[in-house]
Amino acid sequence: MNAWLHGSTALSPLLLMASALVPSHWANRHARTMAVGSEILMWIAFAAASLAAMAQALPGTLENGTAIAVTSAFAPVAYFDALTAVMLLLVSFIGTAVTRYARNYMDGDPEQGHFCKWLSVTIGAVLGVIVSGNLLWFTLAWMLTSLSLHRLLTFYADRPGALLAARKKFLISRLGDAALIIAMVLIYREFGTLEFAPIFATAELLGSASNAAAPALSAAGLTTISALLIAAAALKSAQFPFHSWLPEVMETPTPVSALMHAGIINAGGFLVVRMSPVIVLSPEVLSGLAVVGAATALYGSLVMVTQTSIKKALAFSTVAQMGFMMLQCGLGAFSAAILHIVAHSLYKAHAFLSTGSVVDLARASWVQVAPKNQTAGPLLAAFAGALALSLASAHGFGVSPASEPGVVALGAVLTLAVTFLLWKSAGAHPGYGTVARATAVAACVCIGYFALQTAFAHLLRSALPPLPPRASDFDLTLTAAVTMLFVTMLLVQSRLPGRIDNPLWQRLYVHFYNGLYISTIANRVIERIWPLPSASEPSSNWE
């Protein structure tokens, strides 16, 4: 990769972040110029990311993991590897689509220029997180991502609901920032540097138990660092019980929702994967992350199926998906987590940017419930068939539950989706032909998932720490428990229509519809800490 390509790729986030220097009153007076300028900057960033990704894929063009200094003395050191290339390409593509959509969506709004300004800054900050070559620049870009997003979340500052949700997000993000800053200080104390390349090289030596050249670092210090990094990631990615702000930030313009759910919310997972060479040195911390991720995934999935609002259902779907992503990271399946990020980001960006097509989106987002008179026998048979397809596909691609439980965990959830497909097909149109077609589709889905997983594992192999030859007993037990809990949820969802008149089911439905009242409790706490302004009181300049 040439020096100019390094520079353009690393400097594109700075160009976008420089939009913060444009006065808002000037931006609003020249809204069209701001909109077109933001779109041009995003196309430049996308083009640079595409070239970087192609150069990364070509053998001999770049040594994976090399830290490369940008020509400008004021620019951060960049760190390019396969993970950087994948995430740069993803975020720049989504950012370009969102910026183009926002140009039409905000056309005619008196604050369009102000909106375009902070949208550019936010996307630039996310790209800055990805290309940062040391933890200091990473942390600064991480904090700017949240601060600039706050300006977008409070775009309609006269709406109390939007203001309350933004303040809740703001305070939770500050907790995450504090955890990351403390982790950065401890990393400097333990490793003597904030540059990613030497940190990862030292961590690799520490991970080789037989390597006599491995430096002697404090085990307690490494555990504390890993725990703080995990805490920062969990707070950033809306893990239970710090998730309640996410379903409530729906009063912001749709492009912000798309960017947030498709890009910014994944920053926590990227932090874990980027720092995975250090975090894997503390297996007990990873196990804790797996538990948090599993609880979040189950909670988000249960609440999602009770929602009647499409946007809220999508929001709780994001909570569940972030839980799955953290579960995979906790089980050491980092390449699977990146595949999850890519697939979820593309889906959510499309889902939010197409919310105007309410009917089509509803059909795509919800699974039609099977007839009430259908018995559990066909469901169990469908589950057995789907499980056989998943296991056969996994075996065909060399994926073993004993060594890669994180990959199998997501495969288990895929099995449940395929189960519903087979079961509904058999119930709606009985016959061997229908079952055969459904089975063929299910087989293609299973094979496609494990093929993509294998491809990502191969693509990211040089950027991620090696997996142990066998997963721990805890990982295997957690994977089995999560699978069984989701099987139970599938049974509950399938049997619910026949028991809708049961008072117990009605009470459970109400409780889950309200998210077990976590948001209500959090809102009361926030209102005590940071009261909302009265109707006659203007909001602060920051908001």
Side-chain angles (χ1 to χ4, degrees):
M1 187 185 291
N2 297 326
W4 70 268
L5 183 54
H6 287 131
S8 62
T9 307
L11 289 176
S12 342
L14 294 179
L15 293 175
L16 287 163
M17 288 187 278
S19 301
L21 302 177
V22 179
S24 291
H25 60 84
W26 186 94
N28 288 331
R29 285 202 306 268
H30 303 83
R32 182 173 178 80
T33 301
M34 283 296 299
V36 173
S38 298
E39 192 175 342
I40 291 174
L41 287 176
M42 276 311 312
W43 276 111
I44 293 173
F46 179 57
S50 301
L51 291 174
M54 287 189 292
Q56 181 67 31
L58 295 175
T61 55
L62 176 67
E63 181 183 356
N64 286 336
T66 300
I68 304 163
V70 180
T71 52
S72 171
F74 301 99
V77 173
Y79 187 84
F80 291 94
D81 59 3
L83 177 61
T84 306
V86 169
M87 294 302 297
L88 264 181
L89 192 59
L90 173 69
V91 174
S92 60
F93 172 73
I94 291 176
T96 302
V98 169
T99 304
R100 182 68 184 89
Y101 181 93
R103 180 179 169 185
N104 292 330
Y105 184 90
M106 299 299 297
D107 189 31
D109 192 293
E111 294 289 321
Q112 181 183 6
H114 174 80
F115 179 87
C116 292
K117 162 187 170 179
W118 288 109
L119 184 65
S120 297
V121 174
T122 304
I123 298 173
V126 177
L127 292 172
V129 168
I130 295 170
V131 302
S132 294
N134 66 61
L135 202 51
L136 175 61
W137 287 107
F138 185 102
T139 303
L140 292 175
W142 174 280
M143 294 173 63
L144 180 59
T145 299
S146 174
L147 295 174
S148 57
L149 176 63
H150 185 79
R151 302 301 295 262
L152 294 173
L153 295 180
T154 57
F155 184 73
Y156 298 121
D158 56 337
R159 300 180 181 181
L163 198 56
L164 180 60
R167 288 181 171 185
K168 187 167 23 175
K169 167 70 170 65
F170 184 88
L171 294 176
I172 291 174
S173 294
R174 301 293 72 77
L175 293 175
D177 293 346
L180 185 56
I181 291 171
I182 297 172
M184 179 179 65
V185 173
L186 294 178
I187 286 175
Y188 185 79
R189 190 181 70 178
E190 292 289 341
F191 291 86
T193 180
L194 293 178
E195 304 296 324
F196 284 147
I199 290 174
F200 297 160
T202 302
E204 184 177 355
L205 290 176
L206 290 171
S208 304
S210 60
N211 195 328
L217 298 183
S218 166
L222 289 174
T223 300
T224 303
I225 289 170
S226 298
L228 288 168
L229 291 173
I230 292 300
L235 289 166
K236 190 76 166 183
S237 290
Q239 298 299 289
F240 181 87
F242 300 100
H243 67 282
S244 61
W245 61 269
L246 187 59
E248 295 182 357
V249 290
M250 294 301 170
E251 295 190 50
T252 189
T254 296
V256 181
S257 297
L259 179 64
M260 183 169 53
H261 286 260
I264 297 173
I265 197 70
N266 296 313
F270 178 75
L271 169 62
V272 175
V273 177
R274 172 57 84 202
M275 298 303 296
S276 58
V278 176
I279 296 175
V280 294
L281 300 176
S282 303
E284 63 278 10
V285 176
L286 275 179
S287 298
L289 177 63
V291 172
V292 171
T296 303
L298 288 166
Y299 170 84
S301 299
L302 285 170
V303 176
M304 177 191 69
V305 298
T306 65
Q307 300 303 306
T308 55
S309 164
I310 290 177
K311 276 196 170 185
K312 274 215 166 185
L314 286 171
F316 278 106
S317 169
T318 298
V319 172
Q321 295 300 326
M322 292 302 100
F324 278 121
M325 181 185 65
M326 290 301 185
L327 171 62
Q328 290 171 311
C329 289
L331 295 176
F334 300 113
S335 61
I338 295 300
L339 171 60
H340 197 155
I341 286 175
V342 171
H344 175 260
S345 297
L346 294 175
Y347 163 70
K348 278 295 162 60
H350 173 267
F352 274 98
L353 295 181
S354 61
T355 47
S357 304
V358 177
V359 175
D360 293 339
L361 183 61
R363 289 173 178 172
S365 301
W366 292 97
V367 178
Q368 183 181 357
V369 178
K372 294 183 180 181
N373 59 355
Q374 193 164 1
T375 63
L379 175 61
L380 295 176
F383 176 72
L387 182 61
L389 285 173
S390 295
L391 291 177
S393 301
H395 179 74
F397 286 95
V399 177
S400 168
S403 60
E404 300 178 77
V407 177
V408 176
L410 187 59
V413 177
L414 175 66
T415 299
L416 298 180
V418 174
T419 296
F420 238 101
L421 171 66
L422 295 175
W423 184 50
K424 287 176 73 269
S425 298
H429 303 285
Y432 291 110
T434 301
V435 174
R437 287 192 296 271
T439 303
V441 172
C444 291
V445 170
C446 292
I447 293 172
Y449 164 71
F450 286 104
L452 285 172
Q453 164 53 35
T454 303
F456 267 70
H458 177 76
L459 176 66
L460 300 173
R461 67 190 185 283
S462 61
L464 301 176
L467 292 175
R470 181 175 175 82
S472 67
D473 292 338
F474 174 84
D475 292 343
L476 295 175
T477 302
L478 182 62
T479 302
V482 169
T483 303
M484 292 307 300
L485 286 172
F486 272 94
V487 170
T488 303
M489 190 181 75
L490 175 63
L491 290 171
V492 169
Q493 184 180 357
S494 63
R495 305 306 296 165
L496 183 60
R499 299 175 178 270
I500 197 63
D501 296 330
N502 188 303
L504 175 61
W505 286 109
Q506 292 175 355
R507 287 195 294 270
L508 288 174
Y509 180 89
V510 171
H511 294 327
F512 279 107
Y513 177 81
N514 289 283
L516 300 181
Y517 309 101
I518 301 295
S519 182
T520 302
I521 297 171
N523 288 345
R524 289 176 179 175
V525 173
I526 297 301
E527 287 176 342
R528 287 180 178 274
I529 297 174
W530 195 351
L532 292 174
S534 61
S536 59
E537 179 184 351
S539 60
S540 66
N541 291 333
W542 172 248
E543 296 174 340

